[in-house]
Amino acid sequence: MSTIVVGLYKETGSAKKAFQALIAAGCQEKDIETFGGADSADKAAQGLLGHGFRKELADRYGAAVRQGHTLVAADIADQDADAAEAILDKNGAIDLPAAPASQKASGSRNVEEETLQVVNEEIGIGKRRVAKGGMKLTSQVTETPVRETIMLRDETVDVERRTVDRALSPDEGKAAFEDKTVELTATSETPEITKEARVVEEVVLSKTASEQEKTVEAVARRTDVKVEPVGGKPGKR
């Protein structure tokens, strides 16, 4: 199995030195391609596509060649790929430039994105009321029978006629022939109940509030995103 390793150079001379260094290290000349000049930009991109590069990455390398860079691409056995990359780097290989603005804005590209969010957790410390129980007063009416024996007075008026035969005294004689009315009224007693409500005890509910300082501790969390390369340089598949 083999791998395509690439090196991008600002100067043609550096690309030639890298080419010669790969030959000196045992690479076959037929397995190494050099792309330089605007007329070879499309060829470079197509060549990388043919070797399995993603279209977006192949187009970026083609754009770099169009901008005046020189691309060296070598078909290297898998076990020798790292050594070949080291040779390209040693001879001045540069990182792939960012895609041109026109290319970024093109609507023909399909861009896949994976996003991780950097999140800060903010803590707010306040207070809220919590019911913790209390007391309730309820008044209830109970009835207690009261029984007491009392003496009741009952009067009656009776009429009695007596046979008398005696002479009137002088005083009685003077008043004997005057109109008179005598009344005698009888009375009776009946039971009468009177009630008087008296306060004999008071039960009072009261609430006392106190304040105290309390230190509250919490932990605010934050996520960080670590960026690191995966699988070597972009030119290696």
Side-chain angles (χ1 to χ4, degrees), residues 2-75:
S2 63
T3 297
I4 298 297
V5 295
V6 297
L8 189 65
Y9 300 89
K10 286 184 177 182
E11 299 177 355
T12 304
S14 298
K16 290 181 178 180
K17 290 181 180 179
F19 180 91
Q20 294 169 356
L22 289 174
I23 298 297
C27 295
Q28 298 296 318
E29 185 173 346
K30 63 181 180 63
D31 294 329
I32 306 173
E33 292 185 90
T34 301
F35 304 94
D39 55 344
S40 64
D42 291 338
K43 183 179 178 181
Q46 291 299 322
L48 294 179
L49 277 174
H51 288 295
F53 278 63
R54 299 191 315 273
K55 185 177 187 306
E56 182 269 341
L57 186 58
D59 287 345
R60 288 178 59 189
Y61 275 111
V65 172
R66 188 174 291 106
Q67 293 169 3
H69 295 78
T70 301
L71 179 67
V72 176
D75 190 356

Side-chain angles (χ1 to χ4, degrees), residues 10-221:
K10 286 184 177 182
E11 299 177 355
T12 304
S14 298
K16 290 181 178 180
K17 290 181 180 179
F19 180 91
Q20 294 169 356
L22 289 174
I23 298 297
C27 295
Q28 298 296 318
E29 185 173 346
K30 63 181 180 63
D31 294 329
I32 306 173
E33 292 185 90
T34 301
F35 304 94
D39 55 344
S40 64
D42 291 338
K43 183 179 178 181
Q46 291 299 322
L48 294 179
L49 277 174
H51 288 295
F53 278 63
R54 299 191 315 273
K55 185 177 187 306
E56 182 269 341
L57 186 58
D59 287 345
R60 288 178 59 189
Y61 275 111
V65 172
R66 188 174 291 106
Q67 293 169 3
H69 295 78
T70 301
L71 179 67
V72 176
D75 190 356
I76 305 295
D78 288 344
Q79 65 271 19
D80 298 327
D82 290 340
E85 281 191 348
I87 291 173
L88 295 176
D89 291 341
K90 184 177 180 180
N91 285 274
I94 63 173
D95 293 333
L96 181 64
S102 59
Q103 181 180 351
K104 292 181 180 179
S106 172
S108 62
R109 295 177 56 215
N110 294 324
V111 179
E112 295 183 6
E113 294 183 349
E114 295 292 342
T115 303
L116 289 179
Q117 296 178 331
V118 176
V119 180
N120 277 337
E121 189 174 55
E122 296 183 357
I123 294 180
I125 297 178
K127 57 185 180 179
R128 62 185 176 92
R129 290 188 176 227
V130 180
K132 64 175 187 177
M135 303 293 291
K136 178 174 71 173
L137 298 182
T138 303
S139 65
Q140 293 180 332
V141 177
T142 59
E143 297 182 350
T144 303
V146 177
R147 176 177 294 181
E148 185 176 336
T149 302
I150 60 175
M151 295 298 296
L152 298 177
R153 179 186 175 90
D154 187 28
E155 298 176 339
T156 60
V157 178
D158 296 327
V159 178
E160 179 184 359
R161 290 180 180 272
R162 297 175 185 172
T163 302
V164 179
D165 185 11
R166 65 179 178 83
L168 293 175
S169 66
D171 292 334
E172 289 176 334
K174 293 178 181 181
F177 298 102
E178 295 177 359
D179 293 334
K180 295 180 182 179
T181 299
V182 177
E183 290 184 1
L184 185 61
T185 302
T187 63
S188 64
E189 294 177 337
T190 60
E192 182 181 13
I193 298 175
T194 61
K195 295 182 180 181
E196 181 184 21
R198 300 181 61 83
V199 179
V200 296
E201 184 182 6
E202 291 181 340
V203 181
V204 181
L205 284 181
S206 62
K207 181 170 66 174
T208 302
S210 61
E211 294 184 351
Q212 60 179 348
E213 290 186 354
K214 185 172 183 178
T215 301
V216 180
E217 296 183 354
V219 177
R221 296 172 296 177

